[in-house]
């Protein structure tokens, strides 16, 4: 297994983005409407990772600098985006490995808190983050007013 940084618009990242959007449709009835730009994940303001096995992309995740006070973020925040593992590779610890790499990279970039937004229809994500030290916090971001939204944070 190899985890490596790529651009958010890399063809493999785009292919996994299409899969994660289909997952959101299946679970929530719609795609994630959060606006993302490849520049948001460019170091030192973020990173985007893909996990590969035998040249095949299996998992993804990124963080981006996010300090928009009007949307409920705070100075020093790094926001996790697009954590996803293809169905046939789930249960192998890939998400936990990517999460650890994202946290280490954000910490090295001077970020002091990692934040994320997920939802009630993703119980496995809620369990992963809770078991990794994340706690529920006041809602922030694009979906902060949605009932199914759950926001979590962890001090780095």
């Amino acid at each position: 297994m190899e985890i490596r940084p790529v651009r958010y618009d890399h063809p493999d990242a785009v292919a996994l983005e299409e899969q994660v959007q289909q997952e959101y449709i299946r679970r929530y009835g719609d795609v994630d409407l959060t606006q993302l730009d490849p520049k948001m994940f460019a170091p030192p303001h973020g990173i985007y990772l893909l996990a590969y096995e035998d040249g095949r992309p299996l998992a993804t995740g990124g963080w981006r600098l996010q300090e928009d006070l009007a949307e409920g973020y705070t100075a020093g925040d790094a926001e996790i985006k697009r954590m996803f593992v293809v169905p046939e590779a789930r249960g192998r610890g890939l998400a936990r490995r990517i999460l650890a790499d994202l946290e280490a990279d954000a910490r090295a970039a001077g970020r002091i808190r990692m934040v994320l937004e997920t939802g009630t229809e993703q119980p496995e994500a809620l369990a992963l983050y809770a078991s990794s030290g994340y706690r529920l916090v006041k809602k922030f971001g694009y979906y902060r007013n949605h009932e199914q939204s759950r926001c979590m944070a962890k001090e780095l």
Side-chain angles (χ1 to χ4, degrees):
M1 182 64 52
E2 176 191 9
I3 297 176
R4 63 181 185 240
V6 300
R7 285 184 45 89
Y8 180 66
D9 57 359
H10 182 282
D12 291 338
V14 171
L16 287 184
E17 171 73 12
E18 290 172 6
Q19 289 186 48
V20 76
Q21 293 295 347
Q22 290 303 309
E23 187 87 7
Y24 294 146
I25 290 170
R26 187 176 67 75
R27 293 182 188 227
Y28 297 102
D30 202 357
V31 298
D32 181 350
L33 299 173
T34 306
Q35 295 296 309
L36 299 178
D37 183 290
K39 292 180 275 187
M40 294 175 175
F41 299 100
H45 303 293
I47 195 168
Y48 202 75
L49 302 175
L50 287 182
Y52 287 90
E53 184 175 69
D54 298 325
R56 181 170 176 240
L58 298 179
T60 185
W63 75 264
R64 64 179 179 161
L65 185 144
Q66 186 58 276
E67 296 182 328
D68 187 343
L69 303 179
E71 287 198 6
Y73 299 95
T74 62
D77 280 354
E79 183 182 27
I80 295 171
K81 297 303 294 179
R82 296 302 190 261
M83 288 286 293
F84 178 72
V85 179
V86 298
E88 60 273 20
R90 292 178 183 163
R92 296 174 45 192
L94 296 177
R96 194 170 299 279
R97 286 182 58 191
I98 287 178
L99 182 60
D101 286 358
L102 294 175
E103 290 173 353
D105 189 76
R107 189 178 304 109
R111 302 286 85 199
I112 58 174
R113 185 174 82 144
M114 191 69 96
V115 299
L116 63 96
E117 187 271 334
T118 188
T120 57
E121 301 307 306
Q122 294 170 272
E124 57 281 275
L126 289 165
L128 167 71
Y129 297 127
S131 71
S132 299
Y134 288 78
R135 300 293 172 248
L136 291 172
V137 295
K138 182 180 175 186
K139 291 183 180 181
F140 53 79
Y142 185 85
Y143 289 100
R144 66 188 174 278
N145 297 318
H146 286 73
E147 186 177 321
Q148 291 177 306
S149 174
R150 297 295 180 267
C151 292
M152 304 178 86
K154 176 181 177 179
E155 300 299 317
L156 294 175

